[in-house]
Amino acid sequence: MMSETISGGHLVAKALKAEGVEVIYTLCGGHIIDIYDGCVDEGIEVIDVRHEQVAAHAADGYARITGKPGCAVVTAGPGTTDAVTGVANAFRAESPMLLIGGQGALSQHKMGSLQDLPHVDMMAPITKFAATVPTTERVADLVSMAFRECYHGAPGPSFLEIPRDVLDAKVPLDKARIPKNYRASTRQAGDPESIERLADMLAHAEKPAILLGSQVQTCRATDAAIDFVRGLNVPAYMNGSARGTLPPGDPMHFQLSRRYAFTEADLIIIVGTPFDFRMGYGKRLSPTAKVVQIDLDYRTVGKNRDIDLGIVGDPGLILSAAAQAASGRVENGAARRKEWIEELRAVETQAYEKRLPRQLSDAQPIDPYRLVHEINEFLTEDTIYIGDGGDIVTFSGQVVQPKSPGHWMDPGPLGTLGVGMAFAMAAKKARPDKEVLCLFGDGAFSLTGWDFETMVRFDLPFIGVIGNNSSMNQIRYGQAAKYGEDRARVGNTLGDVRYGEFAKLLGGHGEEVRDPADIRPALERARESGKPSLINVWVDPDVYAPGTMNQTMYK
Ligand SMILES: Cc1ncc(C[n+]2csc(CCOP(=O)(O)OP(=O)(O)O)c2C)c(N)n1
Ligand SMILES: [Mg+2]
């Protein structure tokens, strides 16, 4: 009797299934079709997009939304190079995803086969693991290994290339390793001695502040973070995907007073976010404050500035343990910190009131503050908000507050334009029960906008809003400041494109908005349309967000 055989593509699908992956994002190529065939057998959905960058961003987005690793499958050569940006974005954003790339047949190694490139060399610096699958028997083994490697320290992407002959060949099923139980929890509780020290610091602090970074969401540490800040009365700031950890209106939720807090605090706890450009490389913290850093990755702790205490491990476990250890010691903490919290609230209210007239402005062309204000008012507890653009997204970062944890998506520290459509795709696919709203700059939208067609084809309704200033405004501002207004319009001017019409062309709902009073009704109609939609809002091209004017991102 002949023994049962299995091909490499089917082994990929079995390994994806074992990992819990329900959907792959892909753009087809002859090198990879056997994986599709395997997915049919395993019940894994194949979402085919219009550009490989979108496939990779969607895998990143899927990981963020589901807490499981995402997977993108692309063909050799240009398919893989197109996906580089998506992998790089996931690398900087610490998002666990696997990119599988095709490769020329091993039998034609270095002979100049179609689409042959040194993919592994290209991917090595932007992944946690990059390898070639050497034999068909080991296909599933290496897929599982690549997934496991995504979780070393802070998570991140892995890459595998599978040569065409390795993928297509059939081997006896009993010769292939198909791992099923191959993963342990990588959660680390933190050094107990360090946690005691943190508890002591908390007991003595009069003006503590905490910054909850993206790892709080990555590790699903929302409850621990809430118990910590509420139990110990620690004002909290949130960045990246940790936005929404505390709901707006929570007594410990702060946003606009961050700089003041970090200048005045006596204890600053940084959780799950590096001292990178967003943090002024750690230089903007009070020189007299005690600084504590908690991170999944030992390499992030103490990088760019000294700290008083570093704890490596899972933010949720560490915050829970510290809250417990401190609870007995800070009996009177609540009362002592009341004044500090009131002080921050006053700064917060003042900043809010100063900006409010702009948020309510009736000006035409529309003030970008009005647009982001309307969006903020429109969001429900079940709306996942995505920002993809330059200046317009910088405006939104100040005003838009997600109403629930895990409902904020931005590219992360790579600052990649073009993530929006892919994140919307991944979010709506993984959570059809959620509403998805993506704010695009017109420049950002144009990079990957054709995948609006994929949203239509797969019936993935979302509310797309374009803050259209016919410019790459964030860059234009810097050019004007550096070279003068008369030389500012080089390389940053876009056409006056009616993107609402583009949406309709591709089978979605589209509208043009020029009057601020029409923003809300247009958003409502998009919501009710049940279709992928684009509301093209013409905003004033000659106003800039404060963050853009300070050019903090380049400092
Ligand atoms: C892929 C990519 N290319 C270029 C940039 C540099 N960049 C940052 S902001 C920006 C302008 C974006 O224009 P738009 O999306 O229209 O937003 P606006 O600033 O006009 O509001 C550019 C080109 C980038 N971050 N990512
Ligand atoms: Mg623009």
Side-chain angles (χ1 to χ4, degrees):
M1 202 182 80
M2 270 203 4
S3 68
E4 209 185 325
T5 60
I6 186 163
S7 69
H10 287 246
L11 284 165
V12 168
K14 282 198 180 300
L16 295 178
K17 181 90 176 205
E19 191 63 37
V21 172
E22 290 147 341
V23 48
I24 59 165
Y25 296 92
T26 188
L27 196 155
C28 65
H31 293 82
I32 52 173
I33 50 177
D34 198 56
I35 297 176
Y36 299 172
D37 198 58
C39 285
V40 173
D41 276 358
E42 298 299 331
I44 295 170
E45 194 175 356
V46 176
I47 302 236
D48 47 322
V49 298
R50 307 295 294 267
H51 192 294
E52 287 88 352
Q53 180 184 347
V54 173
H57 285 322
D60 169 355
Y62 176 93
R64 297 187 198 198
I65 292 287
T66 62
K68 296 192 284 190
C71 181
V73 177
V74 296
T75 197
T80 300
T81 57
D82 273 358
V84 165
T85 300
V87 173
N89 192 71
F91 185 64
R92 286 290 305 269
E94 301 180 344
S95 185
M97 60 162 284
L98 171 64
L99 179 74
I100 298 178
Q103 176 59 297
L106 272 186
S107 60
Q108 293 158 349
H109 187 52
K110 298 212 181 286
M111 289 173 68
S113 69
L114 175 71
Q115 297 171 221
D116 185 9
L117 274 180
H119 304 132
V120 173
D121 293 342
M122 284 161 35
M123 291 293 182
I126 54 166
T127 52
K128 299 178 82 73
F129 177 81
T132 305
V133 180
T135 63
T136 307
E137 288 83 353
R138 296 212 41 221
V139 167
D141 186 28
L142 270 148
V143 170
S144 308
M145 196 182 285
F147 277 125
R148 193 168 44 230
E149 294 281 354
C150 288
Y151 292 92
H152 170 70
S158 288
F159 171 73
L160 277 184
E161 67 169 14
I162 313 185
R164 196 177 48 74
D165 46 1
V166 171
L167 194 75
D168 286 345
K170 289 188 168 177
V171 294
L173 190 56
D174 56 6
K175 291 275 180 317
R177 171 151 198 252
I178 307 178
K180 291 215 173 57
N181 299 310
Y182 55 91
R183 287 265 297 280
S185 164
T186 55
R187 294 174 79 202
Q188 293 182 25
D191 177 359
E193 240 173 71
S194 302
I195 286 167
E196 285 299 317
R197 274 183 63 201
L198 173 54
D200 263 339
M201 289 163 121
L202 282 160
H204 292 109
E206 299 199 346
K207 296 178 165 191
I210 191 166
L211 176 63
L212 303 171
S214 293
Q215 287 179 7
V216 172
Q217 174 57 19
T218 305
C219 297
R220 301 301 190 263
T222 302
D223 291 346
I226 290 178
D227 289 350
F228 181 94
V229 301
R230 288 195 189 146
L232 301 172
N233 265 337
V234 180
Y237 298 81
M238 291 157 275
N239 83 0
S241 48
R243 281 169 175 254
T245 299
L246 292 169
D250 189 285
M252 291 304 129
H253 178 302
F254 291 87
Q255 183 174 1
L256 303 175
S257 54
R258 188 172 110 175
R259 186 169 287 223
Y260 181 89
F262 285 179
T263 319
E264 298 296 320
D266 60 2
L267 173 64
I268 301 172
I269 306 167
I270 306 291
V271 187
T273 189
F275 289 120
D276 63 12
F277 69 98
R278 293 169 298 180
M279 288 291 295
Y281 303 99
K283 292 193 187 77
R284 289 192 218 117
L285 309 184
S286 159
T288 55
K290 294 251 181 282
V291 176
V292 178
Q293 196 178 8
I294 299 169
D295 204 279
L296 285 169
D297 189 342
Y298 74 93
R299 292 171 304 182
T300 298
V301 175
K303 187 163 127 178
N304 298 339
R305 67 155 291 141
D306 283 5
I307 47 170
D308 295 280
L309 174 65
I311 311 180
V312 175
D314 180 276
L317 294 177
I318 292 167
L319 290 177
S320 293
Q324 211 178 4
S327 61
R329 303 180 212 184
V330 268
E331 229 103 278
N332 304 318
R336 260 192 296 132
R337 290 170 194 175
K338 197 163 160 271
E339 234 172 84
W340 165 236
I341 289 165
E342 281 168 4
E343 187 181 330
L344 293 180
R345 188 58 67 198
V347 175
E348 193 91 3
T349 309
Q350 203 182 19
Y352 177 75
E353 280 169 2
K354 187 166 162 231
R355 212 182 48 203
L356 196 57
R358 294 274 308 269
Q359 290 183 209
L360 302 175
S361 162
D362 286 327
Q364 286 194 43
I366 294 168
D367 189 323
Y369 268 124
R370 174 71 187 265
L371 172 59
V372 295
H373 173 79
E374 294 287 346
I375 291 173
N376 187 44
E377 299 281 302
F378 180 76
L379 297 185
T380 72
E381 282 181 4
D382 285 313
T383 313
I384 296 172
Y385 172 82
I386 301 162
D388 178 16
D391 196 45
I392 189 69
V393 168
T394 307
F395 277 109
S396 82
Q398 284 185 292
V399 174
V400 175
Q401 298 183 330
K403 314 298 179 240
S404 310
H407 285 55
W408 174 281
M409 298 178 85
D410 62 34
L414 197 66
T416 314
L417 298 179
V419 297
M421 197 65 78
F423 283 2
M425 188 182 295
K428 193 64 193 175
K429 189 73 224 165
R431 298 298 308 269
D433 54 318
K434 297 284 178 187
E435 178 175 79
V436 176
L437 187 147
C438 181
L439 174 62
F440 299 95
D442 52 331
F445 177 83
S446 331
L447 271 111
T448 50
W450 273 109
D451 264 290
F452 188 87
E453 190 274 331
T454 310
M455 304 297 282
V456 174
R457 196 161 20 98
F458 282 89
D459 190 19
L460 298 170
F462 80 110
I463 301 165
V465 182
I466 299 188
N468 193 339
N469 48 24
S470 307
S471 307
M472 303 275 200
N473 243 16
Q474 193 148 63
I475 307 307
R476 178 182 157 218
Y477 179 83
Q479 288 172 276
K482 196 166 174 189
Y483 304 106
E485 277 299 342
D486 56 331
R487 300 176 74 96
R489 273 287 183 193
V490 183
N492 55 38
T493 304
L494 303 168
D496 294 330
V497 180
R498 290 155 66 206
Y499 290 100
E501 296 301 311
F502 180 75
K504 287 193 235 170
L505 172 73
L506 298 178
H509 171 84
E511 292 196 38
E512 303 296 307
V513 173
R514 293 179 192 275
D515 181 340
D518 290 338
I519 299 172
R520 177 79 192 207
L523 289 172
E524 303 279 1
R525 283 191 293 273
R527 177 175 275 165
E528 280 152 26
S529 76
K531 291 182 182 180
S533 60
L534 287 180
I535 305 301
N536 190 33
V537 183
W538 295 86
V539 294
D540 189 344
D542 294 320
V543 293
Y544 301 96
T548 295
M549 291 191 278
N550 295 330
Q551 297 276 316
T552 44
M553 60 291 253
Y554 300 115
K555 282 180 186 162

